[in-house]
Amino acid sequence: MPTVTYHHDGGTADVLDVEPGTSLMRAAVRNGVRGIVGECGGQAMCATCHVYVRDPYLGALPDISEDEEEMLDCTTAPRDADRSRLGCQVVVGPDLDEIEVDVPASQV
Amino acid sequence: MTTQANDVRPVPTAEWVTIPDLFDDPYPIFQRLRAEAPVHWVPAVDRYLIVGYEAAHDVEQDAERFTADEAGSLMKRSMGHSMLRKDDPEHAAERQAYGGVLRPRAIKAHWNAVFEANARVHLDQLKAAGPGADVVSHFAAPYAAENLRLVLGFHNATADDLQRWSQTLIDGTGNYADDPDVWAAAERSSAEVDTAIDEMLAHFRDEPDHTLLSGLADMPMSLEALRANLKMTIGGGLNEPRDAIATTLWALLSHPGQRERVLAGSRWADAFEESIRWVAPIGMYPRQATRDTVLDGLQIPAGARLGVHVGAANRDPAVFADPESYDVDRPKVPHLAFGGGSHFCAGAWVARASVVGVALPQLFAELPELRLDPAAPATIQGWVFRGVTHLPVLWS
Ligand code: FES
């Protein structure tokens, strides 16, 4: 099963085994990972599932859609030009069976 | 979150809760209810009333156990069967059809300039009315109405029409007392909206523009669904920004220290988000249990009609310290005023742009001396929908 690591401020992390086809937001919300809100349930509409993807995994990500692009300009924590993504738009599966992200200090 | 079976309690009944008391001031009632349990059966409103944050959050995130498509919905009767009372995938398809019209890119490209122009016009009208004017009827309501009219594309109606439609359709949605006059007014508005929509759809098929109706003109959505969705959008798109403006103003004018900090740092977003946490304009929305289930330790039977009170959840002391106070400096915790899950408010960014980006800063820039009128206190009322209905203000 794919593995997702959510790194928090201060060096702690949550490591989850996640069913393929699940988004980083959904997995986090279901398992109570602190710092990922996902208010809109994954419609790229609320910008409260913001994550910073760690460098080694950036190449494996899908392209940023128009909806995601405009939401990334609405995040509470500053957008990182390369690493910022919406957790609801990144889905683990055969093309992405391992990923590590940093959880921003704030989503609201 | 489910609890072990042996911890499950039955839902207590709150016989003592009445609709007039809720209408007047629901918050002391919520405090008393919450101290006992996060969910109560309230005979007066014929619902399981959810007043705890965790329970409300669980319900809105789990459409499998709690459907939005409730039986006997007042909203369906008032406005037709809109996407707000449908579950995915049906809901998602209709929501998708709204496209980008209400999203940040379109707001930047088209709507911010419209909001700014409307704010100028309505600020002039407020000033012309003179000190002592009611800021709700002279600014918040007509400003929200004109913004909505232009975003939706009702070029064949006036802002006053929008106000009448919104209020009467919403009154129907909240007609728990089953008042026949309320139903009659809602039906009249519903027929007027249908006519206006038909006219505009024909127009936009030839001459499309950036409005919502134009975008919907060639969408594969049934006319019945389209009409219901527009009525829902008229309701939510007018009264809620109106109430958010008025409540935020009232909060700032009655908390001088907070006003000072908001003005000094241009913290309009903080002022707005805290205001809709404190008094959520849409207080309660319905859900229905699809099966026997457990909600925050309480046994909910299949078919139970729930009233998810986000206004109560937003003052849950388990989540918000000193929840009854308006405090722009409180630690940031997500409030539930925009709803959550797939029914998260489609107009959230329009509300933020028109209220946070334009209305609040322009009001205080134009009328820096704005203050409450000690001779004419504000009125605030409602429990399904709640807001400041009358806010007389003075300036020098
Ligand atoms: S959950 Fe709302 S944008 Fe990702």
Side-chain angles (χ1 to χ4, degrees):
Chain A
M1 226 186 278
T3 311
V4 184
T5 306
Y6 303 86
H7 294 278
H8 299 285
D9 255 9
T12 59
D14 291 299
V15 184
L16 302 179
D17 292 327
V18 174
E19 202 67 47
T22 310
S23 75
L24 304 188
M25 180 281 287
R26 186 59 62 199
V29 169
R30 236 177 241 154
N31 291 282
V33 173
R34 152 175 77 81
I36 309 275
V37 180
E39 253 170 12
C40 76
Q43 304 176 84
M45 178 70 205
C46 69
T48 66
C49 60
H50 181 200
V51 295
Y52 302 111
V53 177
R54 292 208 165 174
D55 284 328
Y57 306 95
L58 288 173
L61 298 182
D63 289 345
I64 297 178
S65 72
E66 252 186 53
D67 284 358
E68 181 174 0
E69 176 63 39
E70 71 177 326
M71 265 319 109
L72 286 171
D73 287 334
C74 301
T75 55
T76 296
R79 175 176 185 175
D80 181 285
D82 304 312
R83 298 177 53 220
S84 280
R85 294 299 299 257
L86 295 182
C88 66
Q89 302 301 305
V90 177
V91 173
V92 297
D95 299 332
L96 188 69
D97 68 357
E98 189 193 0
I99 185 166
E100 294 184 45
V101 301
D102 292 292
V103 177
S106 181
Q107 299 281 6
V108 293
Chain B
M1 237 159 268
T2 46
T3 314
Q4 293 304 312
N6 52 9
D7 297 337
V8 175
R9 294 187 283 157
V11 173
T13 298
E15 296 274 5
W16 53 274
V17 176
T18 69
I19 289 183
D21 287 348
L22 282 167
F23 189 84
D24 201 34
D25 184 2
Y27 292 113
I29 298 172
F30 297 151
Q31 276 178 286
R32 190 173 150 192
L33 290 171
R34 217 188 287 104
E36 197 190 339
V39 186
H40 293 253
W41 169 250
V42 180
V45 303
D46 200 22
R47 282 180 189 278
Y48 289 79
L49 191 66
I50 298 175
V51 293
Y53 184 99
E54 183 175 330
H57 188 254
D58 283 357
V59 170
E60 65 185 14
Q61 295 294 337
D62 194 341
E64 302 268 304
R65 284 192 298 153
F66 303 104
T67 176
D69 189 3
E70 69 151 3
S73 155
L74 296 181
M75 187 188 199
K76 284 189 209 165
R77 176 163 171 195
S78 181
M79 302 184 174
H81 196 172
S82 77
M83 62 173 113
L84 202 56
R85 295 287 173 271
K86 292 177 184 173
D87 298 320
D88 291 340
E90 229 187 331
H91 156 271
E94 292 180 23
R95 176 78 177 251
Q96 204 66 39
Y98 271 36
V101 178
L102 307 178
R103 295 180 57 102
R105 191 189 308 263
I107 292 169
K108 232 181 262 160
H110 309 295
W111 306 130
N112 274 335
V114 169
F115 301 155
E116 274 158 29
N118 288 342
R120 271 195 302 278
V121 169
H122 290 99
L123 271 168
D124 285 347
Q125 287 175 8
L126 176 67
K127 284 196 243 172
D134 168 26
V135 78
V136 180
S137 57
H138 286 94
F139 178 79
Y143 168 72
E146 185 63 0
N147 289 346
L148 183 72
R149 188 181 75 81
L150 294 169
V151 170
L152 299 193
F154 278 110
H155 302 328
N156 56 351
T158 66
D160 285 344
D161 292 331
L162 270 285
Q163 284 203 53
R164 185 178 65 257
W165 295 341
S166 171
Q167 195 57 55
T168 49
L169 291 169
I170 283 197
D171 287 346
T173 293
N175 192 11
Y176 285 83
D178 204 20
D179 181 335
D181 292 342
V182 169
W183 289 128
E187 274 162 35
R188 267 196 306 278
S189 289
S190 185
E192 285 177 34
V193 175
D194 289 347
T195 308
I197 289 174
D198 292 352
E199 237 176 77
M200 289 318 302
L201 288 179
H203 165 84
F204 285 129
R205 281 192 194 104
D206 297 330
E207 289 174 61
D209 66 13
H210 307 294
T211 61
L212 186 67
L213 271 164
S214 179
L216 290 171
D218 18 66
M219 278 291 162
M221 190 194 297
S222 75
L223 185 59
E224 188 198 349
L226 190 153
R227 286 169 164 176
N229 288 333
L230 257 294
K231 287 168 200 166
M232 177 269 288
T233 307
I234 290 169
L238 200 161
N239 289 26
E240 314 331 322
R242 174 198 72 193
D243 292 351
I245 291 169
T247 303
T248 309
L249 263 179
W250 181 56
L252 291 175
L253 298 185
S254 48
H255 296 79
Q258 309 233 8
R259 169 190 183 157
E260 222 168 275
R261 289 202 290 288
V262 166
L263 275 156
S266 291
R267 293 173 54 195
W268 305 111
D270 290 344
F272 168 81
E273 298 291 340
E274 170 62 356
S275 150
I276 62 175
R277 178 205 69 83
W278 190 48
V279 181
I282 296 182
M284 185 181 86
Y285 58 80
R287 289 288 182 270
Q288 189 164 22
T290 57
R291 61 192 77 157
D292 288 339
T293 188
V294 176
L295 181 59
D296 201 3
L298 294 150
Q299 185 65 53
I300 306 288
R305 296 170 77 234
L306 313 179
V308 182
H309 211 299
V310 295
N314 278 349
R315 291 196 186 192
D316 187 337
V319 177
F320 301 95
D322 188 15
E324 308 295 327
S325 317
Y326 178 80
D327 178 6
V328 295
D329 293 316
R330 69 173 56 255
K332 299 265 177 275
V333 178
H335 62 70
L336 305 180
F338 284 123
S342 61
H343 292 282
F344 177 76
C345 177
W349 297 103
V350 171
R352 288 177 174 136
S354 64
V355 179
V356 173
V358 178
L360 295 173
Q362 284 209 15
L363 262 167
F364 282 94
E366 292 276 321
L367 299 170
E369 307 285 295
L370 208 58
R371 59 186 186 277
L372 297 175
D373 183 348
T379 49
I380 173 158
Q381 59 186 39
W383 72 283
V384 179
F385 303 95
R386 186 166 179 84
V388 175
T389 51
H390 197 65
L391 182 62
V393 287
L394 300 176
W395 60 88
S396 333

